[in-house]
Amino acid sequence: MLKILTIIFLTLLFGCNLDNKNKNPNDNSKIPTRKMTDTTHNEYTLTCRFSSFDTTVDVIFNNTVDTINDCQKKNYEGFISKQDYLVPEILQQVFEYYKKSYPDYYQGWSYGNQLTKQQIEENLPTPTNAMNLKKFIEPLSVYIADNKNCEEGTFGIYFDCTWDIKSSLGVVIKKWKVAEVGTGDIAFLF
């Protein structure tokens, strides 16, 4: 019985692997099939490659269950095609936000802590320039508004960041430009 189960398991595992063998991991030319639909929160989710950060992100269509509309599709495809164009502005605006917030974050990190300045620097780097900050942030998801509220070129990007593990980092894009940078919640509350 154990042998039969092992053979079935290996057959299924091998069969699943064949489906992915000929796929290019960087090919975002088509909208992939739905990864997941969360009917509790009415979120339709796809994934795509965020090449500038060498990662894959979830693209969450708020309040959307079965299909996405043309505006949502344009935002999804636009994000994929314009991400390299958007990243320098995103990094610069995140850097400006971080520079303003740095004193408060530093006070929080050093208050009552036995961490050395060097240990704090590992997660809360002294603001020097936008490119140096890139290695301290990682995009996790992109939020696109629901059918009714969708505007072309408008979406939020939710980032994990080392300096604020509780509230994270959010960027709102409007008309294909950075409109706002703040804590992570702004990425899906726009």
Side-chain angles (χ1 to χ4, degrees):
M1 182 67 164
L2 185 58
K3 285 183 181 182
I4 293 172
L5 287 175
T6 304
I7 291 170
I8 292 171
F9 174 74
L10 290 175
T11 304
L12 286 173
L13 183 63
F14 180 73
C16 291
N17 192 27
L18 283 178
D19 290 343
N20 294 322
K21 230 177 196 179
N22 296 324
K23 290 183 182 176
N24 179 352
N26 294 324
D27 183 14
N28 284 320
S29 59
K30 297 178 186 172
I31 293 182
T33 56
R34 179 174 34 177
K35 175 185 169 203
M36 160 185 76
T37 296
D38 180 347
T39 54
T40 306
H41 296 102
N42 293 328
E43 293 176 344
Y44 185 91
T45 304
L46 300 173
T47 58
C48 75
R49 188 90 183 127
F50 201 149
S51 301
S52 297
F53 286 90
D54 193 29
T55 192
T56 300
V57 295
D58 287 333
V59 180
I60 300 167
F61 298 86
N62 293 336
N63 222 9
T64 304
V65 179
D66 294 323
T67 60
I68 59 176
N69 68 13
D70 287 339
C71 178
Q72 291 172 310
K73 182 178 177 181
K74 285 179 183 176
N75 284 344
Y76 177 78
E77 291 173 344
F79 167 72
I80 292 170
S81 66
K82 297 175 191 278
Q83 61 181 269
D84 290 337
Y85 161 79
L86 290 169
V87 167
E89 184 184 0
I90 290 170
L91 290 175
Q92 187 59 44
Q93 294 302 317
V94 166
F95 177 68
E96 296 301 324
Y97 167 79
Y98 180 74
K99 249 190 340 188
K100 287 182 208 169
S101 306
Y102 178 79
D104 293 331
Y105 281 118
Y106 188 82
Q107 184 178 12
W109 273 82
S110 58
Y111 180 76
N113 246 331
Q114 301 301 324
L115 298 175
T116 66
K117 182 160 176 66
Q118 182 181 2
Q119 290 171 318
I120 292 172
E121 249 329 282
E122 291 173 7
N123 294 299
L124 184 75
T126 303
T128 55
N129 67 56
M131 282 309 291
N132 287 346
L133 204 55
K134 184 178 178 183
K135 65 183 175 188
F136 295 92
I137 65 175
E138 178 184 359
L140 300 177
S141 49
V142 174
Y143 289 86
I144 295 177
D146 61 22
N147 294 336
K148 187 171 50 171
N149 298 307
C150 187
E151 295 176 24
E152 190 173 340
T154 301
F155 52 90
I157 306 173
Y158 183 80
F159 290 85
D160 193 8
C161 64
T162 60
W163 62 84
D164 191 341
I165 57 175
K166 183 178 178 185
S167 299
S168 301
L169 175 69
V171 174
V172 175
I173 306 293
K174 289 188 177 181
K175 297 182 181 177
W176 304 112
K177 299 214 176 280
V178 176
E180 186 177 359
V181 176
T183 55
D185 59 344
I186 68 165
F188 48 85
L189 295 177
F190 62 94

